[in-house]
Amino acid sequence: IVFADDLGYGDLGCYGHPTIRTPHLDRLAAEGMRFTDFYSAAEVCTPSRAALLTGRYPIRSGMAHNRYRVLRNRSTGHLSAHEITLAEALKSAGYTTGMVGKWHLGVWSINPAGHPRLHGFDSFLGLPHSNDMDPTTTAPSGAPGRPDQDPAWWNAPLYRNEALEERPADQTQLTRRYTAEAQRFIRENKRRPFFLYFAHTFPHVPLFASSNFRGTSRRGLYGDVVEELDWSVGQIIDTLRREKLDRKTLVFFSSDNGPWLIMNQQGGSAGLLRGGKGSTWEGGMRVPGIAWWPGKIQPGSVNTNLACLMDLFPT
């Protein structure tokens, strides 16, 4: 599962965006199935992710009405240990499980019980929550005047398993580091069943892209970030092909909720839909959904049935 953060229904080429180039995701849709009516289970991060991993409405796990016990960077709450996650279910079937990226279902530096490795994942590399939740208290020395131009304005912690690997994380390199970690996980587990949950930090603000992508998109910095995310998907698919795993692997791509419209040019697009993140109008809840599995899914399929993140676990 490859999961974007705040990516809108209209942000990909295969969903109609006129200027953001997403050739790898467009190819994924052309070789697989594109959903026209695929929905998140919530309009913001935490309940959406809980629904994906449990296959249950977030209100049933306490991740909706009590989500602020989890949503903030000093929150003590976490996904309940009583919930069976997709990772735990697959582990019981003999799968190796790994997570890369944004968790946002518990801050383990506040409450250790919220760590992904206590909810079914054998390995983890990523952030405990959104990348905007640890701003610096003073301007970094030598940093430009705008926080969106230098990752040193942000104090996001990058963890490998339980160990703090880097703080502040260099957010210009996050997508590339996540991608390399995901590729390593695939290569190391190619001879056994595996489940990889790859939850990108972006395009949640603040936006950062590596030097290979910054300034290259006609859609500005937001487009740079989405195009690098698209590159990342291409790297994952290329790795599966090189390791001859493509016909054994289901890849599903989606987003946790709609675009953060109040961020203006730093937010995405819901296309022709009304509303965005934080709203239960279509733009806040309907998200891209692409399924790819050569030899199993008919190429060029377009699925107009209603489907949702909660369908992935029971399916």
Side-chain angles (χ1 to χ4, degrees):
I1 295 174
V2 182
F3 209 42
D5 192 344
D6 293 358
L7 184 77
Y9 184 80
D11 278 334
L12 306 180
C14 56
Y15 281 87
H17 200 285
T19 57
I20 298 179
R21 296 165 298 185
T22 54
H24 300 290
L25 283 162
D26 296 350
R27 181 179 177 184
L28 211 68
E31 294 179 354
M33 177 181 291
R34 181 175 65 87
F35 288 80
T36 62
D37 293 75
F38 191 81
Y39 287 83
S40 172
E43 79 290 3
V44 291
C45 302
T46 289
S48 171
R49 292 159 196 272
L52 167 65
L53 288 180
T54 64
R56 284 158 44 87
Y57 289 108
I59 196 169
R60 299 191 185 279
S61 62
M63 296 292 101
H65 56 294
N66 289 327
R67 68 176 183 267
Y68 291 103
R69 295 188 302 111
V70 177
L71 195 59
R72 306 306 178 192
N73 66 339
R74 302 298 297 172
S75 299
T76 59
H78 57 83
L79 184 65
S80 171
H82 297 294
E83 292 293 333
I84 300 171
T85 67
L86 178 54
E88 289 172 319
L90 289 173
K91 273 181 68 67
S92 70
Y95 280 64
T96 298
T97 59
M99 184 188 167
V100 176
K102 171 184 168 180
W103 176 238
H104 218 167
L105 292 173
V107 183
W108 51 88
S109 62
I110 306 298
N111 187 336
H115 198 283
R117 297 225 301 163
L118 296 178
H119 294 274
F121 291 99
D122 296 318
S123 63
F124 171 76
L125 175 75
L127 308 186
H129 43 59
S130 298
N131 60 330
D132 65 338
M133 290 193 167
D134 291 286
T136 57
T137 55
T138 58
S141 176
R146 288 175 52 191
D148 62 340
Q149 293 181 349
D150 193 323
W153 279 90
W154 306 94
N155 198 32
L158 178 68
Y159 284 85
R160 181 176 296 278
N161 296 328
E162 292 79 18
L164 181 63
E165 182 154 300
E166 182 178 286
R167 186 166 198 172
D170 182 355
Q171 295 199 44
T172 66
Q173 299 302 308
L174 268 186
T175 297
R176 303 185 78 81
R177 290 178 71 173
Y178 286 170
T179 304
E181 182 71 10
Q183 291 174 297
R184 181 200 61 78
F185 177 84
I186 291 169
R187 289 192 298 266
E188 290 185 358
N189 295 287
K190 63 184 179 181
R191 302 192 188 283
R192 52 189 168 185
F194 65 79
F195 168 56
L196 174 63
Y197 173 41
F198 187 172
H200 279 278
T201 289
F202 300 118
H204 192 288
V205 296
L207 300 174
F208 293 100
S210 71
S211 58
N212 288 358
F213 286 88
R214 185 162 184 122
T216 62
S217 172
R218 292 166 59 197
R219 175 54 176 82
L221 180 56
Y222 186 87
D224 298 341
V225 170
V226 174
E227 290 182 11
E228 186 160 28
L229 189 152
D230 176 75
W231 164 85
S232 171
V233 171
Q235 293 295 299
I236 298 303
I237 298 302
D238 286 348
T239 301
L240 292 173
R241 287 192 168 111
R242 281 196 304 270
E243 302 297 342
K244 297 181 171 52
L245 296 172
D246 50 321
R247 299 181 73 84
K248 300 179 181 179
T249 308
L250 168 64
V251 176
F252 198 94
F253 177 88
S254 192
S255 176
D256 62 345
N257 46 250
W260 208 352
L261 298 180
I262 62 171
M263 294 300 165
N264 301 314
Q265 291 301 305
Q266 298 229 342
S269 169
L272 300 178
L273 305 178
R274 178 178 179 179
K277 177 180 180 176
S279 161
T280 52
W281 294 109
E282 288 287 291
M285 302 286 291
R286 200 194 306 189
V287 290
I290 301 172
W292 180 86
W293 191 355
K296 297 289 186 180
I297 295 175
Q298 183 69 30
S301 303
V302 177
N303 192 324
T304 60
N305 293 314
L306 184 70
C308 175
L309 287 176
M310 290 184 293
D311 292 326
L312 294 178
F313 190 157
T315 300

